[in-house]
Structures are given as structure tokens and as C-alpha cells.
Amino acid sequence: CLQKDLVPRLPQETRLFTMASEETKPKKQRDEECIINGLPGELIERIFLKLPVSTLLRCTGVCEQWHKLIRDPQFVTSHLQDAPQCAVLFFPQESVSGEPHPADAILIDEAWSPSTYAVPVIGPDDFLCGSCNGLLVLYTKSSTLKVANFATGECLHLEKPVKNLRGDHFLFYNFGFHPLSKEYKITHFLGDPVVGSTRSHNNSRFSVIQVYTLGGEKWRDIKTPEALSLNCVKNSGAVNIDGTMCWLIEDMVANWQHAVMTFDLSGESFARIQLPATVHEDCAGGGPRRYWIREIDRKICIATAQACPSLPRRLVGMLQIWELENKTEQRWSLKYNIQYSPDYIPGPNLVHRNKIILQRRDGNLYSYELLGENFNTKLCKMANLLDFFPHKPDNMQSYICVKSLVRLDVYKKTAIARRPKQREGWELKKWEAWEHQLSDYEKLWTRLHEEEHEGIALAEHSSISFNGLLPRILDDAIRQDIGMKINKICPSLPDQQPRPLRRLNCVAQKQDRENLSARLENYSSIMKASREASKSIMSMILSAVENQRG
């Protein structure tokens, strides 16, 4: 493609010489010698760095030189640095009114447009544990964790640190990358063992973090400085920022009764960061105060608000977001003081491209621009991103992600890489009914396209037949009037585009069903009008012929 684009821009004499010399070469040699390869290597690399991952993956099959360049680790790193960010909204699988709904993910691009196709590497029973450099770590109900590049489709299954662990939870796993050591690491908060049991672990406290370095031979146990709360991790979350994992711990002496614990992924050392000394002024009608650790603009942030007394997951009053300005001095500043708090706080990333993503109990996801700073912050320019019903609002996760060329095949020979023994994903029997439902909708679309084609053919046949009868009408005015009506009986239907084979995500599926219903209704009304027009034309022709005979 690049060769075709460049040739017309060359001077005419050069083009003629190039074409003449090309004809004298064997076809294989002509195919291998691409004009762009005659450019300096640095220029070729600069061109490729501007291309999206999907285009680069196609370019790897053009020639050996392009394949080698695009797969080079240094190029992969350089391309990753300038890759545009998108927001990944993840909904875990859940049951609504007894009907299972699979896990799903929606990408929000730079223009705040939601994607329509499902992420192929996410299975219906998967849970998202972390995202980094275009790689996702997914918790499965089998004995493995799944590491996947959602842009290239590569997947790697890794053995979990503990087999058949009761009470294990996907929120106890995390994923990060250290920019200095260039290592990817998965961490697992392991609950303290229950006395007398080999498989059960305490779901409220942990004293060990299990660490696996991608490409390593085994999981390793790292002892924490003290026994820490697993409930804090589950309720408040954890973030990975520049090679440091951060989460909230209990600190009953502090004003907020919490502190931040950090774990450096390279040195595997712990540190504690105290929260601001500010005392919150809680409203009288609110319930207990909740805290979340979040990442905004590569900074550690703490979001806090009061919970509704009757519905602990719903928020009331002001939403404050504090930012850690200086890690060494443990200095915090109030970044946002939002006057009208949302119903739910997604995470671990809730801000994308200077807008905050918030959930409402009406089943919709909104984006807001933040006007003002600190105490004057207001939510403005609200935009409805999507309707995620029937998924529950308090289960959604949001991550900032990029599409990258990071490869996983280099890690597939590690000792703990495993191929799942049991069936998984859409092969499971529990999702057969769901697959049949999707198949039924595709059949309806196919049948509708067939009906539309037959309707157009029938209307065209009627038009030809009516035009054949026009010469029998002697009155010019009547003949002209009937001719105008004949031109209108052919229905104007939407283009019959072929249906893509890729699976739609939950939001696009809902829109697709609405489009199908609207198109069926539109087709019925158009064909009804066409039939009535045909009857009217036939009546006019018969009446004109009878009058002529009379």
C-alpha cells in the first residue's frame, strides 16, 4: 500500500525508468523489492511508529524486513510510548433474574466513542485483575490466570499460586510493570491460613504477598511488615503506578483511620504513606465514610465520600479527591471537591482525558468535565456514554489502557505456563443458551435481508408490468399521472451490508436489537405502502380502460 502511494509522487521520467526496470526482473524479486525499503531505516521506523497496531500486524506479513522491524523489542517499546490511551470499562459476569450475562468490556477511545465489538481475549467467566502496557491479567475459575494482549489476541495461561483455594477473589490479584527493571509482575494477597485446614485461608487478614515475575519459574512469598486487612483491599482497591503497587490499610490512630501501603515491584520493599491530617465534616444524614485509592494522571489519589445509610454502596454528599503531591514529604493536596457526588465510583482509573467517569443508579454511565479547582469544582457538560443495563453499576471496573505490540510468546516456555485442561469460555454448556439467542438474532437479520430483497424484486416486477400497460391509456394526463405513481412504488430500503462475524459487546448488542426491531417495523410499513400504491395504480388503469371502452 505504501509503495503504491509513493510511486505517483515520483517524477515522470523516474516512474518510467522504474516501471521498465521492474518488468525485466523476476516476479519474486519485484515483490521483495519495495520502494519504501529504499528509504533510510530511521525514516521507515518513524512512519511505522505513527501507524496503529492493527495496521502494523498486517504489515508484518509484507516482507521479512518489515516483520523484523515491527517485532523488534526496541520498536515495540518506542511504539508503546506514543500509543493513544483508551478507557477499558469491564463488566464481570453476573446473573440477573436467573439469566446469566457474560463478562464484557467496552473501549472508550480518544473521541469518547464506545466500541461495538467484544474483546476476543475475554471469556464469559473471566474477571479482570489488572491492565498494563496493553496486557490484561484475567482471573478464571479454573486453576490458571490468563495474561492476554487484547490488541494482538495473544494469550498465556499461568498456574495460580495456590490450587483450589477457598475464598480466593479476583480483587486479591494485581498486575504491574517496573520501568527500570523492565519486568512484569503479578501479585496476590494471600489470606492467612486457618488453623487445622490446608485449603482454607482467612478472608479478612493477610501477612504474605505472593509475587510472580513474568517469565520466571515460580511464585515467591514476600512477608508483609504486619498483618494487613484484606477487606481494605476488596473495598478500596489497589493501583500500580510507575512500578509501585499501592493500597489502603487500617490505621486507627490516624484521623481517616487509614494509611497507604506501597510495594516496590523492583526492590520488593514496603513503605507506609500517611493520609492528610484534615478532619472531615460529615453531613448528619449520611452514613459511614468510605475511601478508595485511585490513579489520576499517574498520581496516587484518594477519593472519599459518605455512604447512604440504607444502601452502603451508594454515595451522598460531597466527593473529595486528594492527590499525593510529594511522595517523599508525604504531602497531599485537595484536587477535586465535587459538590454533587455520584452514586458509584468506578476504578482504579476514574478520569480519562480530563473528564471524570461516574455511574448513576439509573444504569447509565456518564462523563463530566470538571469546572474550577478545589472547593469550587462542579460537574458540568454531562454526556451519557452508554447504558450498561442489565449489568450492575457497582461491579464495573475502569482502566486506562493502550493497544500495544508487547509479545507474550517469549514467556510461553516458563515453568508455570499451563494450557487449561478443562473446557473454558464459550465452550461451557452454561453459555449454550446465550449463543443460541445470538444465533437467532443473526437468523432474523438474514431473513430480513432476504425479505427486503424479495420485496424490492416484487415491486420492480410490478413496476415493469404497469409500465407495459401504460400505452393502452389514451388520455395523456391520466397516463402521466399513473406513470408518476409507478415511479414511487419501488421501496427505498437501507443498504444490505453483510453482517460481520465478530461478536458485539453488550451495549452494541442492545443497540443492534433495537435496530433490528426498528428495521422490521420500517420494512413492514414500506411494503404495506407499496402494496396499497400498487392496488391504487391497478384501479386507476382499469378505470381508465373502462372509460375508453365506454
Side-chain angles (χ1 to χ4, degrees), residues 219-320:
W219 291 83
R220 294 173 293 106
D221 291 351
I222 309 293
K223 284 199 170 186
T224 61
E226 57 188 277
L228 301 173
S229 170
L230 272 175
N231 290 328
C232 277
V233 175
K234 187 180 290 188
N235 296 330
S236 304
V239 295
N240 266 288
I241 301 174
D242 295 330
T244 302
M245 183 173 65
C246 313
W247 69 97
L248 288 178
I249 61 173
E250 293 175 343
D251 187 349
M252 296 306 174
V253 179
N255 287 338
W256 293 13
Q257 297 186 346
H258 288 84
V260 175
M261 181 67 76
T262 67
F263 178 69
D264 182 77
L265 294 181
S266 179
E268 296 183 347
S269 57
F270 295 89
R272 181 191 289 252
I273 300 175
Q274 296 299 328
L275 294 179
T278 306
V279 178
H280 297 293
E281 296 181 4
D282 293 340
C283 60
R289 180 165 288 276
R290 296 190 60 191
Y291 299 90
W292 301 266
I293 189 164
R294 295 293 183 257
E295 174 194 341
I296 300 177
D297 300 329
R298 308 304 301 164
K299 294 285 188 71
I300 300 172
C301 291
I302 303 295
T304 177
Q306 279 183 275
C308 177
S310 57
L311 298 168
R313 290 183 178 270
R314 190 174 297 171
L315 308 180
V316 295
M318 306 283 286
L319 172 66
Q320 291 187 349

Side-chain angles (χ1 to χ4, degrees), residues 377-424:
T377 308
K378 292 183 180 179
L379 298 175
C380 62
K381 294 186 180 180
M382 179 189 76
N384 189 348
L385 285 179
L386 50 93
D387 173 11
F388 53 81
F389 180 84
H391 290 285
K392 299 171 185 175
D394 54 333
N395 285 343
M396 193 197 86
Q397 297 167 267
S398 62
Y399 286 86
I400 301 301
C401 196
V402 296
K403 294 182 179 180
S404 77
L405 293 162
V406 175
R407 301 173 64 178
L408 290 172
D409 56 351
V410 294
Y411 304 115
K412 287 186 176 178
K413 293 183 179 180
T414 61
I416 70 167
R418 294 286 183 271
R419 181 174 293 180
K421 295 179 181 178
Q422 62 265 47
R423 299 171 68 186
E424 61 168 0

Side-chain angles (χ1 to χ4, degrees), residues 495-507:
D495 293 336
Q496 298 180 20
Q497 299 294 336
R499 297 281 293 175
L501 298 177
R502 293 172 60 187
R503 186 190 304 276
L504 297 174
N505 60 35
C506 59
V507 174

Side-chain angles (χ1 to χ4, degrees), residues 393-462:
D394 54 333
N395 285 343
M396 193 197 86
Q397 297 167 267
S398 62
Y399 286 86
I400 301 301
C401 196
V402 296
K403 294 182 179 180
S404 77
L405 293 162
V406 175
R407 301 173 64 178
L408 290 172
D409 56 351
V410 294
Y411 304 115
K412 287 186 176 178
K413 293 183 179 180
T414 61
I416 70 167
R418 294 286 183 271
R419 181 174 293 180
K421 295 179 181 178
Q422 62 265 47
R423 299 171 68 186
E424 61 168 0
W426 295 103
E427 299 176 352
L428 296 174
K429 274 193 170 182
K430 64 181 290 187
W431 299 111
E432 285 181 356
W434 184 271
E435 289 281 67
H436 287 320
Q437 188 180 31
L438 294 181
S439 177
D440 290 341
Y441 275 105
E442 290 303 316
K443 290 176 182 177
L444 281 174
W445 272 110
T446 302
R447 182 57 185 157
L448 173 60
H449 288 163
E450 292 173 354
E451 290 279 357
E452 289 175 344
H453 181 77
E454 292 172 2
I456 292 173
L458 180 61
E460 290 175 346
H461 178 74
S462 300

